[in-house]
Amino acid sequence: PPLPYRPARAFPNLKLSFPIALDHILGSEQFLVIVQDKSYGPATILRFADDPKVEKAEQVLAVPAGGTAYGICFHPRFA
């Protein structure tokens, strides 16, 4: 990015192997992230707190049949 912007780790203690997508859960202080163990293969959806000190994420869903997810979309009445 052009100056004065610099990338910074928002969650330095959270180790994610291959993150694909990240989205804020409406009405909460949590995120959902889609990750893969390798640069290809089955995906998992994890949830973690919006806290720079967070160290662990909780598994919410292993995508069925070894599939991959590329995005997160909430139902309009979710919140």
Side-chain angles (χ1 to χ4, degrees):
L3 295 175
Y5 302 104
R6 301 255 188 241
R9 292 191 182 273
F11 306 102
N13 300 322
L14 184 63
K15 305 301 179 206
L16 302 171
S17 48
F18 289 91
I20 296 173
L22 173 77
D23 209 342
H24 180 257
I25 300 175
L26 302 171
S28 78
E29 294 182 6
Q30 296 185 328
F31 284 100
L32 288 180
V33 62
I34 301 171
V35 297
Q36 292 176 309
D37 290 332
K38 301 180 269 186
S39 60
Y40 57 89
T44 304
I45 300 176
L46 307 175
R47 176 177 52 207
F48 65 92
D50 184 6
D51 178 358
K53 297 176 185 174
V54 68
E55 295 181 0
K56 294 184 180 182
E58 170 190 6
Q59 180 175 325
V60 175
L61 175 72
V63 177
T68 299
Y70 295 103
I72 299 169
C73 181
F74 294 99
H75 189 279
R77 295 184 190 163
F78 176 79

